[in-house]
Amino acid sequence: MLGRFMQGKDTAGPDGRASQWPPYPPPGETDLEKVLRLEGEREAKKVSDEIDHELEMERQTTRKKQKGEKRLLLLGQSESGKSTLLKNFQLYFTPKALRAESDAWRAVIHLNLVHSVNFIIDLLINTAASNAASNSTTYHPHGGRPRTSVEDDAPVASGLSSHTPQLSSEIRRYKLSLSPLRQVEKILARQLSTDEAESPSSPSSRFFGRPSEVVVRGGRGWKSLLRRKAQDGTQQQRSTADPALENARRILDACRGDIVALWRSESVQAGLREEGVVMREQSGFFLDQAERVANMSYEPTLDDILRARLETLGVEEHRLVMETTAEAGQHWVFFDVGGARGQRASWVPFFEDVHAIIFMCSTAGFNEVLQEDRGINRLLDSFNLWKTICSSKLLTSVQFILLLNKTDILDARLKAGVKFSSYVKSYKDENDLSHVLDYLRMKFAAMHHHHSPERRALHVHSTCAINIHTTSTVLVQIRDTILVNYLKATEML
Ligand SMILES: Nc1nc2c(ncn2[C@@H]2O[C@H](COP(=O)(O)OP(=O)(O)OP(=O)(O)O)[C@@H](O)[C@H]2O)c(=O)[nH]1
Ligand SMILES: [Mg+2]
């Protein structure tokens, strides 16, 4: 460290004294002062050399650790499927590690379920109350709400409300019998959140016809937190499970019958239709499996884990030690980012240090708007984001992989008669999956070509990230692309 200071010799400070190291002897220095000064300087140099040595060792360790490590950055707007793709990688390449996280995912799935139930009750209670208050036949609580779902394209019945007195009394009954779920939601949110201030927004919050998001702050390792809590429980109470989570499961199990009845109720379904809410299209939807999921003996299936929804905040680092034979022992590091608009500034520091980016675009976004900005079409937002990413100079030599995701939802919407051309004016082709995907592939490739500072290969795949079977083929292709590029970059090919 001193060495660095010593390079700049003979420079004078503001007081006219030399600012070099070691300093000139002060004027009128006695012999004793000189001895003490020289000794002090020797000591300072020794400390400085030790620090330099430690820093060098640290640099070498990091270099060694990073040698052979593949680093990937997952990018894309919120709900495009980044965390779900990561789960696919884990399922395929580190299945044992993922199974070990099963308890953490069960808590997320339970939170998703109770979140949906509390949302439905709040929504229908509130609209019933508003209806009673206004007593108006033309009232519609979501009057200005953008139409974002397939079912939304069906004409709304009329200005007449279907909120019958029967629904009002039924929903009040459910509110009472399912009130313990408020507590369950709080317990689970607290367990999954590493920071009280970051726990999910109030259970009753209503966010444009869909439940507010369940969020977790990235980088703080919520899964390990949950494991640690469970271990603490083990030491203190000789039980393998966290007592708070056990309690939540018991309450949920006791409420199971009423949850199923609520979801099956004709009048509740009619009420949701009236509100234009399509629960099945929402992330983290488990109401169809409530009987199984709320059961005390419930163990999440792989399919459940892929469908669980937890919004990422910030940037989460996931280190995967590959378990598959061909890659056994290899270290792959994934940086999974929060995709909402407010999160995107935190991506940039990771640009410089990755081998590849995987950009996810939700193809289902063509007739949706951003949650965080209701005036912006999701596909348009993806286009703009893609252009920005392509034009980044920091990513010039990084491998680019684009995934056109949620093809299952896109397919269902096109088959249901939603016209892609109604939302994308430049689209003139047939309204089917393969033509729309061809169009999107060409569009993204053209933007990549146009906005990249230098020529760069682009690998495009279409995916349904909740289908591990179809996605695994893509994972293998991605792995090969990354490995080939990595070997080229390290001049081993
Ligand atoms: N139907 C369907 N759902 C999907 C697909 N991919 C992801 N999902 C679901 O979409 C929801 C959102 O996916 P996430 O992976 O959490 O999205 P994300 O990009 O990580 O979102 P942020 O963390 O907010 O940036 C989850 O509930 C997933 O199960 C898909 O291809 N099809
Ligand atoms: Mg995420």
Side-chain angles (χ1 to χ4, degrees):
M1 207 148 71
L2 275 180
R4 274 192 295 280
F5 293 141
M6 287 167 86
Q7 282 164 10
K9 284 183 184 159
D10 299 335
T11 51
D15 57 356
R17 284 194 177 192
S19 61
Q20 68 169 55
W21 185 270
Y24 282 118
E29 188 183 42
T30 64
D31 283 351
L32 180 62
E33 282 168 344
K34 186 177 176 187
V35 169
L36 289 174
R37 177 174 58 79
L38 290 177
E39 190 160 332
E41 281 171 13
R42 261 196 305 278
E43 191 55 32
K45 179 155 183 352
K46 201 171 130 209
V47 172
S48 168
D49 285 350
E50 275 168 15
I51 294 174
D52 276 348
H53 180 68
E54 270 170 34
L55 285 175
E56 183 51 34
M57 295 300 285
E58 215 171 277
R59 264 196 295 272
Q60 280 182 19
T61 321
T62 313
R63 263 202 299 273
K64 261 189 220 147
K65 206 164 67 189
Q66 287 179 348
K67 204 168 167 218
E69 211 174 68
K70 321 303 174 286
R71 290 186 300 282
L72 288 89
L73 183 58
L74 297 169
L75 297 179
Q77 67 189 188
S78 189
E79 292 192 72
S80 53
K82 300 179 292 297
S83 303
T84 312
L85 183 77
L86 174 63
K87 284 185 238 171
N88 276 276
F89 268 99
Q90 291 173 303
L91 267 174
Y92 193 84
F93 293 107
T94 63
K96 279 191 217 137
L98 188 74
R99 262 196 296 277
E101 293 174 5
S102 182
D103 274 359
W105 285 114
R106 179 173 47 215
V108 175
I109 292 161
H110 281 166
L111 184 54
N112 286 166
L113 179 66
V114 293
H115 210 57
S116 301
V117 172
N118 290 340
F119 165 77
I120 292 176
I121 292 173
D122 285 344
L123 176 77
L124 298 182
I125 284 279
N126 285 343
T127 47
S130 310
N131 269 4
S134 69
N135 199 19
S136 158
T137 53
T138 53
Y139 173 76
H140 194 282
H142 290 297
R145 182 177 58 86
R147 302 176 151 233
T148 59
S149 65
V150 178
E151 280 89 329
D152 266 350
D153 282 354
V156 175
S158 70
L160 287 171
S161 168
S162 69
H163 280 284
T164 58
Q166 186 198 338
L167 173 60
S168 298
S169 69
E170 199 178 330
I171 203 73
R172 268 199 297 275
R173 213 163 20 84
Y174 284 124
K175 186 179 181 198
L176 203 65
S177 66
L178 293 174
S179 62
L181 294 187
R182 306 282 160 177
Q183 191 56 25
V184 172
E185 185 165 355
K186 278 200 190 114
I187 295 172
L188 292 171
R190 215 179 302 126
Q191 293 290 313
L192 289 168
S193 172
T194 52
D195 182 349
E196 279 301 313
E198 298 294 342
S199 35
S201 41
S202 102
S204 59
S205 62
R206 202 169 93 185
F207 195 50
F208 293 107
R210 52 174 285 170
S212 57
E213 283 283 7
V214 181
V215 297
V216 66
R217 179 159 286 287
R220 303 238 195 122
W222 60 273
K223 289 177 206 160
S224 54
L225 187 93
L226 210 65
R227 273 200 295 272
R228 203 170 62 240
K229 281 178 180 168
Q231 280 159 10
D232 292 348
T234 314
Q235 282 152 17
Q236 287 161 17
Q237 316 203 3
R238 302 200 161 273
S239 150
T240 47
D242 184 292
L245 288 180
E246 284 292 291
N247 213 8
R249 288 174 70 185
R250 249 178 243 117
I251 300 173
L252 195 56
D253 188 47
C255 292
R256 189 157 42 107
D258 276 337
I259 297 174
V260 173
L262 168 90
W263 182 234
R264 285 192 186 149
S265 158
E266 292 276 329
S267 35
V268 167
Q269 289 296 334
L272 290 173
R273 265 197 305 279
E274 166 104 355
E275 293 300 313
V277 173
V278 188
M279 294 300 291
R280 280 196 183 86
E281 286 197 350
Q282 294 178 3
S283 299
F285 172 78
F286 286 98
L287 278 162
D288 278 344
Q289 290 92 32
E291 177 77 52
R292 178 174 63 89
V293 168
N295 199 300
M296 193 61 197
S297 60
Y298 169 64
E299 292 296 336
T301 63
L302 296 181
D303 200 45
D304 294 340
I305 293 176
L306 286 178
R307 285 169 188 269
R309 165 67 175 157
L310 196 59
E311 184 186 357
T312 313
L313 279 190
V315 180
E316 273 192 33
E317 181 182 318
H318 295 262
R319 292 185 161 264
L320 271 54
V321 183
M322 304 304 227
E323 295 165 14
T324 36
T325 322
E327 300 80 19
Q330 280 184 23
H331 286 241
W332 286 53
V333 184
F334 286 82
F335 298 101
D336 181 19
V337 306
R341 284 192 154 190
Q343 305 284 316
R344 296 176 187 173
S346 63
W347 301 357
V348 183
F350 294 82
F351 282 10
E352 279 184 279
D353 200 28
V354 289
H355 298 111
I357 66 150
I358 301 181
F359 187 93
M360 309 276 299
C361 165
S362 166
T363 56
F366 78 95
N367 68 339
E368 294 173 353
V369 291
L370 289 181
Q371 272 308 106
E372 61 270 32
D373 185 346
R374 309 284 299 167
I376 302 287
N377 174 282
R378 281 175 69 90
L379 188 58
L380 183 68
D381 177 66
S382 263
F383 285 167
N384 290 335
L385 194 52
W386 176 244
K387 284 185 216 163
T388 312
I389 299 296
C390 289
S391 57
S392 167
K393 289 206 172 73
L394 291 173
L395 293 169
T396 311
S397 55
V398 168
Q399 182 74 53
F400 266 50
I401 296 166
L402 168 70
L403 298 195
L404 301 173
N405 192 36
K406 298 203 177 182
T407 50
D408 56 326
I409 302 179
L410 173 65
D411 192 31
R413 288 187 186 166
L414 298 175
K415 281 183 176 147
V418 184
K419 295 265 176 275
F420 190 75
S421 57
S422 306
Y423 297 87
V424 181
K425 298 292 173 204
S426 58
Y427 186 73
K428 306 281 179 232
D429 232 322
E430 285 168 48
N431 201 54
D432 63 31
L433 184 67
S434 83
H435 285 93
V436 169
L437 284 179
D438 280 349
Y439 168 86
L440 288 174
R441 252 182 236 116
M442 270 165 44
K443 180 96 185 163
F444 273 100
M447 285 186 281
H448 176 257
H449 180 75
H450 198 73
H451 290 274
S452 298
E454 287 175 20
R455 271 177 70 88
R456 175 180 45 202
L458 171 66
H459 301 263
V460 189
H461 305 273
S462 50
T463 49
C464 165
I466 53 166
N467 184 335
I468 178 68
H469 303 295
T470 53
T471 311
S472 61
T473 318
V474 176
L475 295 188
V476 171
Q477 289 169 4
I478 292 177
R479 176 204 57 192
D480 293 346
T481 305
I482 289 170
L483 282 181
V484 169
N485 204 55
Y486 177 81
L487 292 176
K488 268 190 202 154
T490 51
E491 292 171 349
M492 288 167 79
L493 268 191

